[in-house]
């Protein structure tokens, strides 16, 4: 549990970095269309070590769901908190936690610190550092000198979401980040917004999931996400319950459809599409349809005329992976940048996979 300490001079220097505060109501609109949470637990991030977690477990920091409160509930250490809380009276400059990103590496655009329900025991200030390393052990060594500032020291308030947008995306990609909490206290959630830098297969003929978040895929827009977030569609695995899928509210209008647009991690030729309704047993879509477009630059609108059909409407069933290979059309020697999943009329989908070969031309 070794860690490199920063001198007061370095701390002062890092506090002057150019950042823009983001209001809590604007966090989704600021980062939601072109970023992912690089340290999300469902994405596969790992907490490697921390300086202390006496009152509340550090593993709570990267939980994807919002924090909850349990008034009157106590543990051996004290009041129960859904977050990370350290002892009082830290004699060091800060407490810290080191996290391995859930992607091969990523560039950072912004940071969110949520101190929900920590009031009187919240972290007074934080900073974030990053490094690129092929060794988890190396980054925990006391003499490791690879850390660089991602976000300089920022003040935090009690029981609130606070976020900062960097002046520009970091030039360097990082494999690990270190959150510094000055001097001690509690933080409910830590989000690191940015873009994944994937490691693609060496062979351009290899078929892989072009839409996967770990391969750079990202959901850029959707019609509705009332019960479940669209970002869940591109996560690894099949999840644990309906809570980690995409689910829309019930429609009441004839002819209604819901949709989500995915920007592929790389332009490519589609070979197979998978729509997984895992855990959605009474609320799966009646049918699904898939469209695609070659649209470099800004994200396309759902009504753009360039969309072409890849999969005609197909009946869906509950709790099942639906593979569409023979049903594909308009894919031979066609390159696409974005794919749109349409669910008819509404419902829930756990995962959406778009397997294909990337186009490097």
């Amino acid at each position: 549990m070794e860690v490199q300490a920063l001198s007061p001079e370095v701390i002062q220097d890092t506090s002057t970095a150019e950042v823009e505060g983001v209001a809590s109501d604007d966090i989704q609109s600021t980062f939601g269309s072109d970023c992912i949470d690089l340290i999300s637990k469902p994405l596969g991030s790992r907490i490697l070590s921390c300086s202390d977690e006496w009152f509340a477990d550090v593993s709570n920091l990267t939980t994807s769901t919002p924090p909850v409160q349990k008034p009157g509930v106590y543990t051996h250490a004290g009041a129960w908190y859904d977050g990370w809380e350290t002892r009082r009276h830290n004699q060091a400059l800060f407490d810290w936690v080191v996290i391995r990103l859930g992607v091969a590496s990523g560039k950072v655009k912004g940071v969110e610190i949520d101190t929900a329900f920590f009031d009187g025991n919240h972290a007074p200030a934080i900073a974030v550092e990053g490094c690129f390393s092929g060794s988890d052990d190396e980054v925990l060594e006391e003499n490791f000198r690879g850390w660089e500032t991602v976000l300089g020291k920022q003040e935090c308030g009690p029981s609130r979401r606070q976020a900062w947008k960097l002046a520009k995306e970091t030039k360097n990609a990082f494999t690990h980040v270190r959150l510094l909490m000055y001097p001690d206290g509690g933080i409910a959630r830590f989000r690191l917004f940015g873009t994944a830098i994937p490691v693609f297969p060496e062979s351009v003929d290899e078929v892989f999931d072009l839409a996967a978040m770990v391969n750079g895929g990202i959901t850029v827009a959707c019609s509705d996400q009332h019960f479940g977030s669209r970002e869940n569609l591109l996560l690894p695995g099949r999840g644990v319950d309906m809570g980690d899928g995409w689910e829309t509210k019930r429609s009441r209008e004839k002819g209604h459809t819901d949709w989500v647009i995915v920007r592929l991690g790389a332009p490519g030729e589609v070979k197979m599409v998978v729509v997984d309704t895992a855990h959605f047993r009474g609320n799966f879509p009646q049918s699904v349809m898939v469209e695609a477009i070659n649209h470099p630059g800004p994200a396309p609108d759902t009504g753009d005329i360039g969309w072409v059909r890849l999969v005609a409407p197909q009946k869906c069933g509950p709790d099942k992976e639906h593979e569409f290979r023979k049903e594909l059309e308009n894919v031979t020697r066609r390159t696409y940048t974005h794919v749109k999943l349409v669910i008819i009329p509404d419902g829930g989908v756990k995962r959406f996979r778009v397997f294909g070969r990337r186009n490097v031309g």
Side-chain angles (χ1 to χ4, degrees), residues 294-347:
N294 189 7
H295 195 280
D301 185 79
T302 185
D304 285 353
I305 60 173
W307 290 103
V308 298
R309 190 169 68 184
L310 297 191
V311 179
Q314 302 289 325
K315 285 288 185 180
C316 280
D319 201 14
K320 177 183 177 182
E321 286 184 295
H322 304 76
E323 296 185 359
F324 304 115
R325 193 192 308 262
K326 295 180 180 179
E327 297 84 355
L328 287 175
E329 53 185 297
N330 299 311
V331 293
T332 303
R333 292 187 293 277
R334 301 281 292 270
T335 297
Y336 298 108
T337 59
H338 296 74
V339 175
K340 178 168 60 174
L341 171 64
V342 181
I343 58 175
I344 307 168
D346 53 44

Side-chain angles (χ1 to χ4, degrees), residues 47-319:
I47 293 176
L48 302 182
S49 187
C50 68
S51 57
D52 182 73
E53 52 181 337
W54 175 258
F55 287 109
D57 197 325
V58 70
S59 65
N60 295 322
L61 273 181
T62 55
T63 300
S64 60
T65 53
V68 298
Q69 188 180 30
K70 295 182 179 180
V73 176
Y74 285 82
T75 69
H76 172 74
W80 184 93
Y81 279 92
D82 186 7
W84 172 45
E85 186 181 3
T86 64
R87 292 176 176 88
R88 296 187 185 218
H89 314 307
N90 185 16
Q91 298 303 301
L93 289 173
F94 50 76
D95 278 315
W96 54 268
V97 55
V98 175
I99 303 173
R100 177 68 168 86
L101 270 58
V103 295
S105 66
K107 295 186 176 182
V108 181
K109 294 184 178 181
V111 171
E112 178 189 346
I113 296 294
D114 188 350
T115 55
F117 311 118
F118 287 98
D119 189 349
N121 56 347
H122 65 282
I126 60 93
V128 178
E129 299 175 320
C131 73
F132 191 99
S133 174
S135 169
D136 291 342
D137 293 334
E138 178 187 45
V139 303
L140 299 178
E141 295 175 358
E142 186 175 6
N143 61 353
F144 180 65
R145 295 293 182 264
W147 295 111
E148 60 182 87
T149 299
V150 174
L151 176 69
K153 190 175 180 181
Q154 304 292 327
E155 293 185 359
C156 293
S159 196
R160 69 188 66 172
R161 295 178 69 192
Q162 46 237 312
W164 302 270
K165 181 181 179 181
L166 306 186
K168 57 183 178 180
E169 183 180 64
T170 57
K171 179 180 179 181
N172 295 331
F174 304 111
T175 55
H176 300 75
V177 291
R178 184 168 67 162
L179 172 63
L180 312 179
M181 176 166 61
Y182 297 91
D184 51 46
I187 297 172
R189 297 289 187 270
F190 173 31
R191 314 288 188 209
L192 190 73
F193 299 115
T195 54
I197 308 299
V199 178
F200 292 127
E202 291 185 9
S203 172
V204 295
D205 293 323
E206 185 167 340
V207 174
F208 65 100
D209 186 0
L210 296 165
M213 199 176 287
V214 295
N215 292 327
I218 187 170
T219 57
V220 297
C222 69
S223 58
D224 179 76
Q225 49 185 342
H226 188 82
F227 292 110
S229 175
R230 71 193 192 210
E231 287 85 0
N232 293 330
L233 285 170
L234 310 184
L235 289 171
R238 302 189 70 198
V240 295
D241 54 35
M242 285 192 300
D244 58 3
W246 172 54
E247 185 180 3
T248 66
K249 57 180 173 285
R250 296 188 186 216
S251 61
R252 304 300 184 186
E253 298 178 2
K254 186 177 180 179
H256 178 87
T257 61
D258 281 315
W259 52 266
V260 60
I261 296 175
V262 176
R263 186 189 72 204
L264 301 178
E269 182 180 339
V270 179
K271 297 297 183 181
M272 182 176 69
V273 171
V274 177
V275 178
D276 188 357
T277 56
H279 304 113
F280 290 98
R281 301 181 179 96
N283 49 352
F284 58 93
Q286 290 183 347
S287 303
V288 296
M289 179 174 67
V290 181
E291 298 178 341
I293 192 172
N294 189 7
H295 195 280
D301 185 79
T302 185
D304 285 353
I305 60 173
W307 290 103
V308 298
R309 190 169 68 184
L310 297 191
V311 179
Q314 302 289 325
K315 285 288 185 180
C316 280
D319 201 14

